[in-house]
Amino acid sequence: MNKAHALVVDDEADILDLLKITLGRMDVQATTAMTVAEAKTALQARRYDLCLTDMNLPDGSGIDLVRFIVERHPDLPVAMITAHGSMESAVAAMKAGAFDFVSKPVDLQLLRRLVGSALKLRTHGGAAEARTESGTRLLGDSPKVEEIRRLVAKLARNQAPVFITGESGTGKELAARLIHAQGPRAEGDFVAVNCGAIPQELVESELFGHKKGSFTGAVADKEGLFQAAEGGTLFLDEVADLPLPAQVKLLRAIQEKSVRPVGAQQELAVDVRIISASHRDLNEEVEKGRFRQDLFYRINVIEMRMPALREHPQDIPALAARIMERIARQHADREAMRLSEEAVEALARHPFPGNVRELENVLERATALCDGSIIGAHDLYLPQTEAQVAVGSHADPEVPLEDYLGEIERHAILKALDDTRWNRTAAAKKLGMTLRALRYRLAKLGIE
Ligand SMILES: Nc1ncnc2c1ncn2[C@@H]1O[C@H](COP(=O)(O)OP(=O)(O)OP(=O)(O)O)[C@@H](O)[C@H]1O
């Protein structure tokens, strides 16, 4: 590959020299410009692999230059050099399309990493469709999924914090994994943490690590998840569940790109991309005082909304087919099963409040319970809505009352199990019966 070439834009000659020398040490050649106009002329003259621009230039703002580059040279990664502590301009630059920022005085280690990430984009440019480490792709051909696919490819090319919203089971974590896998951080780790699952008193130590003896039970130094994600991506799932004190520390970590382990004197620089997600409305959490507005502003630089499955029902048949293929691969010892036409139609009509995860659960359950090799609509045990049950088989005088009641019971039980992710104790509680009674009914209805 040819030697990389950067365009560096700053109105201070000293800074230009420093950046030129640093880039030179990284084997990157640099062309310099001191104004927006000079930068535009330089951009016409040749191709660059990276642009670094200051925020305040004599004839305009660095943001204008970012917009110009995004429009005219969309493949050129551009990073903003911001004044110290000016997170607002960093956020504004990333919203305008900058792939990252570095604040003054420029920390050379951070600059090296930033340049390294930008140059890796050269090798990742135009990569084939993203797959996670385990080979999962984003499935679906509907315009909604196509849009997500485009956004994933775009976000993979920059370092801005992304906040993913969407109902449970819509693929928020999958999208985060794809952004990681398709970008220059793919060689680093993707570390996922469910913020709601960490006991409140351990959140800081989990995220930032701790020193031996910093609290009872800290018997050795422990690395935090930030350090574990060094060079990669940290996925903060259910970020709305972070307690307020941890939110303050997270804010600092994002702002300063460094963390301080519990009980440590020194801060450690960390190079981690943050992707967060929540099924809750964070605006509402901010209004209610449960989530810090300043943190929301920083993690939500780019927002991505995963559509509910009922918004793109046309993808259900293809998704179902791929999930069936995956199940068949997992049970290679068994005869492959397929869905009947009626089953596919029933799936396409179902509203799927639990989204793609519910579709996976329905198909896994049907494969486990169905005796033959063709799964019929009745083998899916799709939980009916109350309205459907009310006007359902009851209207048919040929159906014995006991069977009719059995069907209602089956639907109620399967729905409670689905709602509780098959946690029987929780399902029994939801149904207002004892666990023993639930077990008895499961056996009677042949669900187990
Ligand atoms: N478009 C899609 N193509 C393929 N698989 C998908 C798609 N959307 C979701 N899935 C699958 O659905 C399951 C649920 O997805 P995921 O865990 O990413 O959802 P989530 O929104 O993070 O859920 P939660 O909010 O409950 O954590 C996963 O197995 C994922 O691979």
Side-chain angles (χ1 to χ4, degrees):
M1 201 176 283
N2 297 336
K3 193 164 173 171
H5 202 123
L7 173 64
V8 188
V9 192
D10 200 307
D11 58 343
E12 287 177 61
D14 293 353
I15 297 202
L16 281 183
D17 283 346
L18 174 75
L19 293 174
K20 206 169 170 173
I21 294 169
T22 312
L23 290 168
R25 291 206 183 115
M26 296 178 73
D27 211 19
V28 177
Q29 209 174 326
T31 294
T32 55
M34 296 185 98
T35 62
V36 174
E38 273 181 42
K40 287 184 180 172
T41 310
L43 283 163
Q44 274 172 0
R46 57 158 299 138
R47 243 198 100 258
Y48 297 94
D49 301 296
L50 160 72
C51 173
L52 286 175
T53 177
D54 189 27
M55 184 76 183
N56 300 313
L57 295 166
D59 57 342
S61 140
I63 302 236
D64 296 335
L65 185 58
V66 170
R67 292 209 182 95
F68 177 84
I69 290 175
V70 167
E71 204 183 305
R72 306 280 182 91
H73 306 272
D75 290 335
L76 172 60
V78 47
M80 181 67 74
I81 306 168
T82 57
H84 179 71
S86 170
M87 211 41 206
E88 278 65 30
S89 31
V91 169
M94 287 195 286
K95 277 195 196 287
F99 90 100
D100 206 352
F101 72 94
V102 57
S103 53
K104 279 184 189 169
V106 176
D107 177 313
L108 294 185
Q109 198 187 348
L110 284 179
L111 180 70
R112 266 186 226 111
R113 286 183 187 151
L114 180 148
V115 172
S117 291
L119 297 183
K120 274 194 206 149
L121 289 173
R122 293 202 294 176
T123 44
H124 276 77
E129 196 196 331
R131 282 173 188 271
T132 64
E133 246 181 332
S134 57
T136 311
R137 291 190 298 126
L138 192 69
L139 300 173
D141 301 320
S142 61
K144 296 249 177 210
V145 175
E146 284 295 344
E147 196 186 317
I148 294 291
R149 209 171 270 127
R150 265 198 305 278
L151 203 52
V152 162
K154 194 168 151 199
L155 296 181
R157 294 179 61 81
N158 81 33
Q159 303 296 306
V162 179
F163 176 58
I164 309 178
T165 62
E167 292 175 14
S168 192
T170 45
K172 297 189 291 296
E173 177 162 348
L174 174 60
R177 285 185 184 276
L178 293 172
I179 292 174
H180 170 80
Q182 211 174 359
R185 295 177 167 267
E187 281 149 37
D189 283 337
F190 178 92
V191 176
V193 51
N194 182 340
C195 299
I198 315 174
Q200 194 145 329
E201 63 284 5
L202 292 181
V203 172
E204 287 185 24
S205 141
E206 282 294 314
L207 288 180
F208 312 114
H210 65 238
K211 299 299 281 179
K212 178 179 172 181
S214 53
F215 55 88
T216 326
V219 288
D221 285 1
K222 182 176 171 287
E223 192 183 59
L225 295 168
F226 262 88
Q227 293 96 305
E230 174 66 27
T233 304
L234 179 59
F235 177 57
L236 300 170
D237 201 2
E238 295 311 340
V239 70
D241 293 346
L242 269 187
L244 285 162
Q247 291 180 23
V248 180
K249 280 209 152 188
L250 177 59
L251 176 66
R252 203 180 143 67
I254 296 177
Q255 214 157 298
E256 303 294 325
K257 297 192 176 183
S258 64
V259 297
R260 175 145 34 139
V262 178
Q265 301 296 322
Q266 298 275 318
E267 299 231 320
L268 300 171
V270 282
D271 167 36
V272 168
R273 183 181 194 180
I274 305 282
I275 303 184
S276 43
S278 176
H279 68 277
R280 286 206 226 150
D281 180 351
L282 269 196
N283 277 306
E284 204 180 304
E285 296 299 300
V286 169
E287 261 167 41
K288 293 195 172 139
R290 289 194 292 246
F291 202 82
R292 290 183 65 104
Q293 181 151 30
D294 43 10
L295 178 60
F296 177 49
Y297 180 65
R298 278 154 181 80
I299 59 171
N300 187 32
V301 172
I302 296 169
E303 184 169 323
M304 169 160 152
R305 180 182 161 275
M306 297 302 286
L309 187 50
R310 63 184 169 282
E311 292 172 45
H312 55 112
Q314 66 271 47
D315 286 328
I316 293 177
L319 273 165
R322 301 309 290 262
I323 295 169
M324 289 301 291
E325 281 172 21
R326 198 196 64 214
I327 297 175
R329 275 198 304 277
Q330 284 164 351
H331 301 280
D333 51 324
R334 279 203 331 229
E335 186 188 357
M337 292 188 164
R338 64 178 189 83
L339 292 163
S340 72
E341 245 170 67
E342 295 77 58
V344 176
E345 278 164 23
L347 288 172
R349 278 196 310 270
H350 187 64
F352 286 105
N355 298 297
V356 184
R357 182 177 296 111
E358 181 185 355
L359 176 61
E360 289 178 339
N361 289 346
V362 163
L363 295 177
E364 266 159 29
R365 185 177 65 211
T367 331
L369 299 181
C370 174
D371 290 328
S373 62
I374 296 179
I375 297 177
H378 57 280
D379 294 316
L380 298 169
Y381 296 118
L382 287 174
Q384 294 188 355
T385 59
E386 277 158 34
Q388 279 172 317
V389 173
V391 295
S393 52
H394 184 46
D396 185 350
E398 299 295 310
V399 176
L401 183 62
E402 197 164 330
D403 290 357
Y404 166 67
L405 293 176
E407 260 321 277
I408 294 186
E409 195 177 352
R410 178 192 297 276
H411 285 304
I413 289 176
L414 286 174
K415 178 158 189 325
L417 286 167
D418 271 344
D419 288 351
T420 56
R421 298 189 183 181
W422 284 70
N423 176 333
R424 280 156 220 231
T425 313
K429 198 162 165 211
K430 213 169 160 72
L431 291 161
M433 58 174 73
T434 62
L435 181 59
R436 212 178 129 96
L438 176 62
R439 283 217 187 99
Y440 169 78
R441 283 178 156 83
L442 288 173
K444 188 178 128 205
L445 296 167
I447 296 178
E448 280 185 307

